[in-house]
Amino acid sequence: MLTWLPPAGQAAYTAYEIEARWDAGAPRRHRAPGSAPRADWPWSPIPSRTHVDLRVRVAADDRWSPWSDTLTVRSALWGEEDWAGRWISPPDRDADAVDRGAWELSTSFEIAELPVRADLFATA
């Protein structure tokens, strides 16, 4: 589900258009009638690790608003094969403790060179 706020001062609108770019590729556009500031995702599912730039505009009759600012999102890791990390687990020695606070888990690692960009994915 996608949601947005109409432009300030925008009269009731009758249509919307969503633009998406997968990993900086060619834009895909979806235009539909509607006056609610929400829409179901109109394209096929996004593959794992995909960056998508999204923006939206609305129309009152035939007058279109300017495009919204671009929002960049990144899809999750959908498949088991996407996860390559090692499990980090608490020690077993305190398994029976009841009044203990939440575990703080951490690890360290070395990299050969500084990456241009890094993303951290975590799950419970």
Side-chain angles (χ1 to χ4, degrees), residues 37-57:
R38 64 183 173 277
D40 289 329
W41 183 255
W43 300 286
S44 60
I46 304 168
S48 293
R49 295 186 175 101
T50 302
H51 286 92
V52 180
D53 295 327
L54 295 165
R55 61 187 192 157
V56 65
R57 64 182 182 165

Side-chain angles (χ1 to χ4, degrees), residues 30-82:
H30 173 78
R31 185 180 284 189
S35 60
R38 64 183 173 277
D40 289 329
W41 183 255
W43 300 286
S44 60
I46 304 168
S48 293
R49 295 186 175 101
T50 302
H51 286 92
V52 180
D53 295 327
L54 295 165
R55 61 187 192 157
V56 65
R57 64 182 182 165
V58 297
D61 299 317
D62 289 332
R63 293 185 325 267
W64 286 91
S65 70
W67 285 103
S68 68
D69 291 339
T70 299
L71 172 69
T72 301
V73 297
R74 181 155 186 199
S75 63
L77 302 178
W78 304 121
E80 187 176 327
E81 68 279 0
D82 294 325

